[in-house]
PDB file of all heavy atoms in Angstrom:
ATOM      1  N   ALA A   1      77.133 -37.744-173.393  1.00 98.00           N
ATOM      2  CA  ALA A   1      76.697 -38.923-174.001  1.00 98.00           C
ATOM      3  C   ALA A   1      76.466 -38.758-175.509  1.00 98.00           C
ATOM      4  O   ALA A   1      76.532 -39.747-176.240  1.00 98.00           O
ATOM      5  CB  ALA A   1      75.465 -39.439-173.335  1.00 98.00           C
ATOM      6  N   ARG A   2      76.229 -37.523-175.906  1.00 98.00           N
ATOM      7  CA  ARG A   2      75.963 -37.289-177.346  1.00 98.00           C
ATOM      8  C   ARG A   2      77.222 -36.744-178.020  1.00 98.00           C
ATOM      9  O   ARG A   2      77.149 -36.240-179.132  1.00 98.00           O
ATOM     10  CB  ARG A   2      74.834 -36.242-177.437  1.00 98.00           C
ATOM     11  CG  ARG A   2      73.458 -36.848-177.071  1.00 98.00           C
ATOM     12  CD  ARG A   2      72.416 -35.817-176.770  1.00 98.00           C
ATOM     13  NE  ARG A   2      71.173 -36.438-176.413  1.00 98.00           N
ATOM     14  CZ  ARG A   2      70.874 -36.908-175.199  1.00 98.00           C
ATOM     15  NH1 ARG A   2      71.720 -36.917-174.221  1.00 98.00           N
ATOM     16  NH2 ARG A   2      69.684 -37.567-174.972  1.00 98.00           N
ATOM     17  N   GLY A   3      78.346 -36.830-177.341  1.00 98.00           N
ATOM     18  CA  GLY A   3      79.652 -36.520-177.918  1.00 98.00           C
ATOM     19  C   GLY A   3      80.219 -35.208-177.663  1.00 98.00           C
ATOM     20  O   GLY A   3      81.290 -34.844-178.160  1.00 98.00           O
ATOM     21  N   ALA A   4      79.524 -34.340-176.886  1.00 98.00           N
ATOM     22  CA  ALA A   4      80.095 -33.009-176.577  1.00 98.00           C
ATOM     23  C   ALA A   4      81.228 -33.078-175.572  1.00 98.00           C
ATOM     24  O   ALA A   4      81.243 -34.027-174.698  1.00 98.00           O
ATOM     25  CB  ALA A   4      78.976 -32.124-176.035  1.00 98.00           C
ATOM     26  N   LYS A   5      82.154 -32.270-175.736  1.00 98.00           N
ATOM     27  CA  LYS A   5      83.253 -32.051-174.733  1.00 98.00           C
ATOM     28  C   LYS A   5      82.692 -31.093-173.745  1.00 98.00           C
ATOM     29  O   LYS A   5      82.125 -30.041-174.165  1.00 98.00           O
ATOM     30  CB  LYS A   5      84.496 -31.578-175.381  1.00 98.00           C
ATOM     31  CG  LYS A   5      85.037 -32.539-176.383  1.00 98.00           C
ATOM     32  CD  LYS A   5      86.121 -31.837-177.242  1.00 98.00           C
ATOM     33  CE  LYS A   5      86.693 -32.777-178.289  1.00 98.00           C
ATOM     34  NZ  LYS A   5      85.788 -33.150-179.377  1.00 98.00           N
ATOM     35  N   VAL A   6      82.756 -31.319-172.418  1.00 98.00           N
ATOM     36  CA  VAL A   6      82.009 -30.551-171.462  1.00 98.00           C
ATOM     37  C   VAL A   6      82.890 -29.940-170.427  1.00 98.00           C
ATOM     38  O   VAL A   6      83.759 -30.609-169.811  1.00 98.00           O
ATOM     39  CB  VAL A   6      80.938 -31.435-170.787  1.00 98.00           C
ATOM     40  CG1 VAL A   6      80.080 -30.616-169.801  1.00 98.00           C
ATOM     41  CG2 VAL A   6      80.067 -32.151-171.806  1.00 98.00           C
ATOM     42  N   VAL A   7      82.677 -28.666-170.184  1.00 98.00           N
ATOM     43  CA  VAL A   7      83.183 -27.943-168.986  1.00 98.00           C
ATOM     44  C   VAL A   7      82.141 -28.027-167.910  1.00 98.00           C
ATOM     45  O   VAL A   7      80.975 -27.537-168.117  1.00 98.00           O
ATOM     46  CB  VAL A   7      83.523 -26.448-169.258  1.00 98.00           C
ATOM     47  CG1 VAL A   7      83.974 -25.783-168.004  1.00 98.00           C
ATOM     48  CG2 VAL A   7      84.552 -26.343-170.360  1.00 98.00           C
ATOM     49  N   VAL A   8      82.460 -28.789-166.858  1.00 98.00           N
ATOM     50  CA  VAL A   8      81.516 -29.042-165.765  1.00 98.00           C
ATOM     51  C   VAL A   8      81.827 -28.033-164.711  1.00 98.00           C
ATOM     52  O   VAL A   8      82.861 -28.067-163.987  1.00 98.00           O
ATOM     53  CB  VAL A   8      81.719 -30.448-165.158  1.00 98.00           C
ATOM     54  CG1 VAL A   8      80.775 -30.643-164.061  1.00 98.00           C
ATOM     55  CG2 VAL A   8      81.438 -31.544-166.294  1.00 98.00           C
ATOM     56  N   ASN A   9      80.972 -26.984-164.647  1.00 98.00           N
ATOM     57  CA  ASN A   9      81.192 -25.849-163.725  1.00 98.00           C
ATOM     58  C   ASN A   9      80.322 -25.996-162.504  1.00 98.00           C
ATOM     59  O   ASN A   9      79.146 -26.342-162.545  1.00 98.00           O
ATOM     60  CB  ASN A   9      80.873 -24.474-164.429  1.00 98.00           C
ATOM     61  CG  ASN A   9      80.745 -23.401-163.399  1.00 98.00           C
ATOM     62  OD1 ASN A   9      79.601 -23.053-163.018  1.00 98.00           O
ATOM     63  ND2 ASN A   9      81.800 -22.852-162.978  1.00 98.00           N
ATOM     64  N   ASP A  10      80.940 -25.799-161.322  1.00 97.00           N
ATOM     65  CA  ASP A  10      80.256 -25.586-160.142  1.00 97.00           C
ATOM     66  C   ASP A  10      81.101 -24.755-159.212  1.00 97.00           C
ATOM     67  O   ASP A  10      82.338 -24.737-159.402  1.00 97.00           O
ATOM     68  CB  ASP A  10      79.932 -26.938-159.396  1.00 97.00           C
ATOM     69  CG  ASP A  10      78.533 -26.925-158.779  1.00 97.00           C
ATOM     70  OD1 ASP A  10      78.295 -26.013-157.957  1.00 97.00           O
ATOM     71  OD2 ASP A  10      77.737 -27.741-159.023  1.00 97.00           O
ATOM     72  N   LEU A  11      80.542 -23.969-158.349  1.00 93.00           N
ATOM     73  CA  LEU A  11      81.247 -23.026-157.522  1.00 93.00           C
ATOM     74  C   LEU A  11      82.447 -23.653-156.865  1.00 93.00           C
ATOM     75  O   LEU A  11      82.379 -24.847-156.403  1.00 93.00           O
ATOM     76  CB  LEU A  11      80.330 -22.414-156.494  1.00 93.00           C
ATOM     77  CG  LEU A  11      80.810 -21.310-155.696  1.00 93.00           C
ATOM     78  CD1 LEU A  11      81.129 -20.074-156.546  1.00 93.00           C
ATOM     79  CD2 LEU A  11      79.695 -20.831-154.701  1.00 93.00           C
ATOM     80  N   GLY A  12      83.515 -22.929-156.755  1.00 83.00           N
ATOM     81  CA  GLY A  12      84.812 -23.429-156.196  1.00 83.00           C
ATOM     82  C   GLY A  12      84.645 -24.317-154.947  1.00 83.00           C
ATOM     83  O   GLY A  12      85.299 -25.327-154.876  1.00 83.00           O
ATOM     84  N   SER A  13      83.774 -23.915-154.060  1.00 75.00           N
ATOM     85  CA  SER A  13      83.609 -24.687-152.811  1.00 75.00           C
ATOM     86  C   SER A  13      82.961 -26.028-153.104  1.00 75.00           C
ATOM     87  O   SER A  13      82.953 -26.947-152.297  1.00 75.00           O
ATOM     88  CB  SER A  13      82.763 -23.939-151.759  1.00 75.00           C
ATOM     89  OG  SER A  13      81.503 -23.660-152.316  1.00 75.00           O
ATOM     90  N   GLN A  14      82.356 -26.204-154.281  1.00 76.00           N
ATOM     91  CA  GLN A  14      81.709 -27.362-154.736  1.00 76.00           C
ATOM     92  C   GLN A  14      82.433 -28.117-155.870  1.00 76.00           C
ATOM     93  O   GLN A  14      81.908 -29.010-156.520  1.00 76.00           O
ATOM     94  CB  GLN A  14      80.274 -27.098-155.229  1.00 76.00           C
ATOM     95  CG  GLN A  14      79.356 -26.575-154.181  1.00 76.00           C
ATOM     96  CD  GLN A  14      79.073 -27.598-153.062  1.00 76.00           C
ATOM     97  OE1 GLN A  14      78.797 -28.751-153.363  1.00 76.00           O
ATOM     98  NE2 GLN A  14      79.230 -27.200-151.831  1.00 76.00           N
ATOM     99  N   LEU A  15      83.747 -27.734-156.089  1.00 82.00           N
ATOM    100  CA  LEU A  15      84.506 -28.211-157.176  1.00 82.00           C
ATOM    101  C   LEU A  15      84.626 -29.729-157.083  1.00 82.00           C
ATOM    102  O   LEU A  15      84.662 -30.397-158.191  1.00 82.00           O
ATOM    103  CB  LEU A  15      85.867 -27.578-157.238  1.00 82.00           C
ATOM    104  CG  LEU A  15      86.710 -27.814-158.472  1.00 82.00           C
ATOM    105  CD1 LEU A  15      85.918 -27.389-159.747  1.00 82.00           C
ATOM    106  CD2 LEU A  15      88.047 -27.081-158.381  1.00 82.00           C
ATOM    107  N   SER A  16      84.634 -30.325-155.904  1.00 93.00           N
ATOM    108  CA  SER A  16      84.761 -31.828-155.841  1.00 93.00           C
ATOM    109  C   SER A  16      83.558 -32.497-156.504  1.00 93.00           C
ATOM    110  O   SER A  16      83.736 -33.574-157.126  1.00 93.00           O
ATOM    111  CB  SER A  16      84.940 -32.266-154.437  1.00 93.00           C
ATOM    112  OG  SER A  16      83.776 -31.946-153.627  1.00 93.00           O
ATOM    113  N   VAL A  17      82.362 -31.914-156.429  1.00 94.00           N
ATOM    114  CA  VAL A  17      81.199 -32.524-157.040  1.00 94.00           C
ATOM    115  C   VAL A  17      81.314 -32.432-158.548  1.00 94.00           C
ATOM    116  O   VAL A  17      80.952 -33.324-159.340  1.00 94.00           O
ATOM    117  CB  VAL A  17      79.850 -32.037-156.532  1.00 94.00           C
ATOM    118  CG1 VAL A  17      79.639 -32.395-155.125  1.00 94.00           C
ATOM    119  CG2 VAL A  17      79.687 -30.512-156.775  1.00 94.00           C
ATOM    120  N   ALA A  18      81.909 -31.268-159.047  1.00 96.00           N
ATOM    121  CA  ALA A  18      82.061 -31.145-160.492  1.00 96.00           C
ATOM    122  C   ALA A  18      83.127 -32.133-160.953  1.00 96.00           C
ATOM    123  O   ALA A  18      82.977 -32.800-162.060  1.00 96.00           O
ATOM    124  CB  ALA A  18      82.528 -29.706-160.806  1.00 96.00           C
ATOM    125  N   GLU A  19      84.178 -32.338-160.200  1.00 96.00           N
ATOM    126  CA  GLU A  19      85.185 -33.360-160.548  1.00 96.00           C
ATOM    127  C   GLU A  19      84.624 -34.721-160.640  1.00 96.00           C
ATOM    128  O   GLU A  19      85.029 -35.544-161.450  1.00 96.00           O
ATOM    129  CB  GLU A  19      86.334 -33.241-159.585  1.00 96.00           C
ATOM    130  CG  GLU A  19      87.126 -31.940-159.803  1.00 96.00           C
ATOM    131  CD  GLU A  19      88.142 -31.671-158.679  1.00 96.00           C
ATOM    132  OE1 GLU A  19      88.018 -32.232-157.559  1.00 96.00           O
ATOM    133  OE2 GLU A  19      89.017 -30.787-158.890  1.00 96.00           O
ATOM    134  N   SER A  20      83.653 -35.046-159.700  1.00 97.00           N
ATOM    135  CA  SER A  20      82.966 -36.359-159.759  1.00 97.00           C
ATOM    136  C   SER A  20      82.197 -36.539-161.102  1.00 97.00           C
ATOM    137  O   SER A  20      82.242 -37.616-161.665  1.00 97.00           O
ATOM    138  CB  SER A  20      82.051 -36.514-158.597  1.00 97.00           C
ATOM    139  OG  SER A  20      82.737 -36.520-157.340  1.00 97.00           O
ATOM    140  N   VAL A  21      81.529 -35.481-161.540  1.00 97.00           N
ATOM    141  CA  VAL A  21      80.821 -35.569-162.852  1.00 97.00           C
ATOM    142  C   VAL A  21      81.791 -35.721-163.966  1.00 97.00           C
ATOM    143  O   VAL A  21      81.563 -36.524-164.883  1.00 97.00           O
ATOM    144  CB  VAL A  21      79.938 -34.321-163.027  1.00 97.00           C
ATOM    145  CG1 VAL A  21      79.268 -34.358-164.405  1.00 97.00           C
ATOM    146  CG2 VAL A  21      78.863 -34.256-161.891  1.00 97.00           C
ATOM    147  N   VAL A  22      82.925 -35.032-163.884  1.00 98.00           N
ATOM    148  CA  VAL A  22      83.974 -35.214-164.922  1.00 98.00           C
ATOM    149  C   VAL A  22      84.448 -36.669-164.985  1.00 98.00           C
ATOM    150  O   VAL A  22      84.558 -37.213-166.060  1.00 98.00           O
ATOM    151  CB  VAL A  22      85.135 -34.261-164.641  1.00 98.00           C
ATOM    152  CG1 VAL A  22      86.360 -34.613-165.509  1.00 98.00           C
ATOM    153  CG2 VAL A  22      84.787 -32.796-164.921  1.00 98.00           C
ATOM    154  N   GLU A  23      84.689 -37.255-163.835  1.00 97.00           N
ATOM    155  CA  GLU A  23      85.096 -38.680-163.779  1.00 97.00           C
ATOM    156  C   GLU A  23      84.050 -39.546-164.373  1.00 97.00           C
ATOM    157  O   GLU A  23      84.348 -40.547-165.057  1.00 97.00           O
ATOM    158  CB  GLU A  23      85.438 -39.102-162.331  1.00 97.00           C
ATOM    159  CG  GLU A  23      86.720 -38.404-161.856  1.00 97.00           C
ATOM    160  CD  GLU A  23      87.909 -38.621-162.762  1.00 97.00           C
ATOM    161  OE1 GLU A  23      88.162 -39.696-163.322  1.00 97.00           O
ATOM    162  OE2 GLU A  23      88.585 -37.580-163.030  1.00 97.00           O
ATOM    163  N   GLU A  24      82.745 -39.326-164.136  1.00 98.00           N
ATOM    164  CA  GLU A  24      81.671 -40.091-164.736  1.00 98.00           C
ATOM    165  C   GLU A  24      81.756 -40.002-166.235  1.00 98.00           C
ATOM    166  O   GLU A  24      81.590 -40.972-166.964  1.00 98.00           O
ATOM    167  CB  GLU A  24      80.281 -39.571-164.272  1.00 98.00           C
ATOM    168  CG  GLU A  24      79.826 -40.134-162.966  1.00 98.00           C
ATOM    169  CD  GLU A  24      78.372 -39.721-162.697  1.00 98.00           C
ATOM    170  OE1 GLU A  24      77.477 -40.315-163.340  1.00 98.00           O
ATOM    171  OE2 GLU A  24      78.214 -38.817-161.887  1.00 98.00           O
ATOM    172  N   ILE A  25      81.948 -38.795-166.728  1.00 98.00           N
ATOM    173  CA  ILE A  25      81.958 -38.574-168.190  1.00 98.00           C
ATOM    174  C   ILE A  25      83.190 -39.289-168.819  1.00 98.00           C
ATOM    175  O   ILE A  25      83.054 -39.992-169.793  1.00 98.00           O
ATOM    176  CB  ILE A  25      82.016 -37.060-168.541  1.00 98.00           C
ATOM    177  CG1 ILE A  25      80.654 -36.442-168.210  1.00 98.00           C
ATOM    178  CG2 ILE A  25      82.393 -36.771-170.017  1.00 98.00           C
ATOM    179  CD1 ILE A  25      80.637 -34.894-168.169  1.00 98.00           C
ATOM    180  N   ARG A  26      84.293 -39.169-168.162  1.00 98.00           N
ATOM    181  CA  ARG A  26      85.531 -39.812-168.651  1.00 98.00           C
ATOM    182  C   ARG A  26      85.415 -41.354-168.586  1.00 98.00           C
ATOM    183  O   ARG A  26      85.862 -42.035-169.520  1.00 98.00           O
ATOM    184  CB  ARG A  26      86.717 -39.321-167.877  1.00 98.00           C
ATOM    185  CG  ARG A  26      87.131 -37.926-168.175  1.00 98.00           C
ATOM    186  CD  ARG A  26      88.339 -37.483-167.401  1.00 98.00           C
ATOM    187  NE  ARG A  26      88.691 -36.099-167.699  1.00 98.00           N
ATOM    188  CZ  ARG A  26      89.470 -35.368-166.955  1.00 98.00           C
ATOM    189  NH1 ARG A  26      89.982 -35.846-165.797  1.00 98.00           N
ATOM    190  NH2 ARG A  26      89.754 -34.120-167.273  1.00 98.00           N
ATOM    191  N   ALA A  27      84.817 -41.873-167.564  1.00 98.00           N
ATOM    192  CA  ALA A  27      84.583 -43.287-167.436  1.00 98.00           C
ATOM    193  C   ALA A  27      83.757 -43.843-168.535  1.00 98.00           C
ATOM    194  O   ALA A  27      83.874 -44.994-168.933  1.00 98.00           O
ATOM    195  CB  ALA A  27      83.975 -43.656-166.022  1.00 98.00           C
ATOM    196  N   ALA A  28      82.848 -43.019-169.052  1.00 98.00           N
ATOM    197  CA  ALA A  28      81.984 -43.421-170.154  1.00 98.00           C
ATOM    198  C   ALA A  28      82.640 -43.150-171.517  1.00 98.00           C
ATOM    199  O   ALA A  28      82.011 -43.318-172.550  1.00 98.00           O
ATOM    200  CB  ALA A  28      80.614 -42.671-170.041  1.00 98.00           C
ATOM    201  N   GLY A  29      83.885 -42.687-171.514  1.00 98.00           N
ATOM    202  CA  GLY A  29      84.597 -42.438-172.769  1.00 98.00           C
ATOM    203  C   GLY A  29      84.491 -41.023-173.304  1.00 98.00           C
ATOM    204  O   GLY A  29      84.986 -40.769-174.392  1.00 98.00           O
ATOM    205  N   GLY A  30      83.974 -40.136-172.521  1.00 98.00           N
ATOM    206  CA  GLY A  30      83.872 -38.752-172.974  1.00 98.00           C
ATOM    207  C   GLY A  30      85.036 -37.877-172.542  1.00 98.00           C
ATOM    208  O   GLY A  30      85.900 -38.323-171.796  1.00 98.00           O
ATOM    209  N   GLU A  31      84.968 -36.649-172.941  1.00 98.00           N
ATOM    210  CA  GLU A  31      85.998 -35.633-172.523  1.00 98.00           C
ATOM    211  C   GLU A  31      85.278 -34.524-171.678  1.00 98.00           C
ATOM    212  O   GLU A  31      84.241 -34.022-172.049  1.00 98.00           O
ATOM    213  CB  GLU A  31      86.604 -34.971-173.733  1.00 98.00           C
ATOM    214  CG  GLU A  31      87.469 -35.867-174.530  1.00 98.00           C
ATOM    215  CD  GLU A  31      88.187 -35.173-175.664  1.00 98.00           C
ATOM    216  OE1 GLU A  31      88.853 -34.089-175.379  1.00 98.00           O
ATOM    217  OE2 GLU A  31      88.048 -35.555-176.817  1.00 98.00           O
ATOM    218  N   ALA A  32      85.961 -34.177-170.578  1.00 98.00           N
ATOM    219  CA  ALA A  32      85.420 -33.100-169.730  1.00 98.00           C
ATOM    220  C   ALA A  32      86.465 -32.534-168.805  1.00 98.00           C
ATOM    221  O   ALA A  32      87.477 -33.240-168.528  1.00 98.00           O
ATOM    222  CB  ALA A  32      84.273 -33.647-168.835  1.00 98.00           C
ATOM    223  N   ILE A  33      86.255 -31.310-168.384  1.00 98.00           N
ATOM    224  CA  ILE A  33      87.158 -30.674-167.396  1.00 98.00           C
ATOM    225  C   ILE A  33      86.226 -30.053-166.374  1.00 98.00           C
ATOM    226  O   ILE A  33      85.087 -29.612-166.656  1.00 98.00           O
ATOM    227  CB  ILE A  33      88.098 -29.684-167.986  1.00 98.00           C
ATOM    228  CG1 ILE A  33      87.365 -28.542-168.777  1.00 98.00           C
ATOM    229  CG2 ILE A  33      89.131 -30.369-168.848  1.00 98.00           C
ATOM    230  CD1 ILE A  33      88.248 -27.384-169.262  1.00 98.00           C
ATOM    231  N   ALA A  34      86.722 -29.925-165.165  1.00 97.00           N
ATOM    232  CA  ALA A  34      85.936 -29.251-164.089  1.00 97.00           C
ATOM    233  C   ALA A  34      86.419 -27.786-163.979  1.00 97.00           C
ATOM    234  O   ALA A  34      87.579 -27.514-164.313  1.00 97.00           O
ATOM    235  CB  ALA A  34      86.214 -29.942-162.724  1.00 97.00           C
ATOM    236  N   ASN A  35      85.486 -26.939-163.591  1.00 97.00           N
ATOM    237  CA  ASN A  35      85.842 -25.541-163.426  1.00 97.00           C
ATOM    238  C   ASN A  35      85.053 -25.004-162.263  1.00 97.00           C
ATOM    239  O   ASN A  35      83.828 -25.204-162.158  1.00 97.00           O
ATOM    240  CB  ASN A  35      85.561 -24.806-164.681  1.00 97.00           C
ATOM    241  CG  ASN A  35      86.070 -23.324-164.591  1.00 97.00           C
ATOM    242  OD1 ASN A  35      85.363 -22.541-163.995  1.00 97.00           O
ATOM    243  ND2 ASN A  35      87.158 -23.040-165.151  1.00 97.00           N
ATOM    244  N   GLY A  36      85.695 -24.253-161.375  1.00 96.00           N
ATOM    245  CA  GLY A  36      85.007 -23.667-160.207  1.00 96.00           C
ATOM    246  C   GLY A  36      84.703 -22.204-160.272  1.00 96.00           C
ATOM    247  O   GLY A  36      84.480 -21.548-159.231  1.00 96.00           O
ATOM    248  N   ALA A  37      84.553 -21.692-161.492  1.00 97.00           N
ATOM    249  CA  ALA A  37      84.243 -20.232-161.623  1.00 97.00           C
ATOM    250  C   ALA A  37      82.921 -19.859-160.927  1.00 97.00           C
ATOM    251  O   ALA A  37      81.972 -20.646-160.976  1.00 97.00           O
ATOM    252  CB  ALA A  37      84.172 -19.868-163.101  1.00 97.00           C
ATOM    253  N   ASN A  38      82.947 -18.727-160.310  1.00 97.00           N
ATOM    254  CA  ASN A  38      81.739 -18.162-159.669  1.00 97.00           C
ATOM    255  C   ASN A  38      81.042 -17.369-160.809  1.00 97.00           C
ATOM    256  O   ASN A  38      81.584 -16.394-161.322  1.00 97.00           O
ATOM    257  CB  ASN A  38      82.115 -17.254-158.572  1.00 97.00           C
ATOM    258  CG  ASN A  38      80.931 -16.585-157.867  1.00 97.00           C
ATOM    259  OD1 ASN A  38      79.842 -16.425-158.464  1.00 97.00           O
ATOM    260  ND2 ASN A  38      81.085 -16.226-156.598  1.00 97.00           N
ATOM    261  N   VAL A  39      79.836 -17.733-161.182  1.00 98.00           N
ATOM    262  CA  VAL A  39      79.110 -17.127-162.375  1.00 98.00           C
ATOM    263  C   VAL A  39      78.824 -15.609-162.087  1.00 98.00           C
ATOM    264  O   VAL A  39      78.486 -14.964-163.051  1.00 98.00           O
ATOM    265  CB  VAL A  39      77.826 -17.894-162.730  1.00 98.00           C
ATOM    266  CG1 VAL A  39      78.179 -19.315-163.148  1.00 98.00           C
ATOM    267  CG2 VAL A  39      76.811 -17.909-161.610  1.00 98.00           C
ATOM    268  N   THR A  40      78.965 -15.191-160.874  1.00 98.00           N
ATOM    269  CA  THR A  40      78.684 -13.776-160.632  1.00 98.00           C
ATOM    270  C   THR A  40      79.921 -12.912-160.822  1.00 98.00           C
ATOM    271  O   THR A  40      79.820 -11.692-160.663  1.00 98.00           O
ATOM    272  CB  THR A  40      78.105 -13.504-159.249  1.00 98.00           C
ATOM    273  OG1 THR A  40      79.140 -13.770-158.289  1.00 98.00           O
ATOM    274  CG2 THR A  40      76.850 -14.378-158.947  1.00 98.00           C
ATOM    275  N   GLN A  41      81.017 -13.589-161.142  1.00 98.00           N
ATOM    276  CA  GLN A  41      82.312 -12.821-161.285  1.00 98.00           C
ATOM    277  C   GLN A  41      82.803 -12.851-162.724  1.00 98.00           C
ATOM    278  O   GLN A  41      83.254 -13.899-163.196  1.00 98.00           O
ATOM    279  CB  GLN A  41      83.354 -13.431-160.376  1.00 98.00           C
ATOM    280  CG  GLN A  41      82.981 -13.417-158.915  1.00 98.00           C
ATOM    281  CD  GLN A  41      82.771 -12.054-158.430  1.00 98.00           C
ATOM    282  OE1 GLN A  41      83.582 -11.101-158.658  1.00 98.00           O
ATOM    283  NE2 GLN A  41      81.658 -11.802-157.731  1.00 98.00           N
TER     284      GLN A  41
END
């Protein structure tokens, strides 16, 4: 909302929820991509 381009990360098994957040951001005119990286790897 403040203009940042955002990588929306959530664990691969939860990637669909990250993609939903990306769609919210895009619908509001922002830029975002989803990523399923495991932060322990």
Side-chain angles (χ1 to χ4, degrees):
R2 289 161 180 81
K5 298 166 180 71
V6 183
V7 176
V8 179
N9 164 262
D10 218 306
L11 189 59
S13 61
Q14 296 294 313
L15 191 55
S16 63
V17 295
E19 289 167 344
S20 295
V21 176
V22 167
E23 289 308 314
E24 277 187 76
I25 291 169
R26 288 181 180 160
E31 291 185 55
I33 58 174
N35 186 282
N38 180 334
V39 299
T40 68
Q41 301 301 313

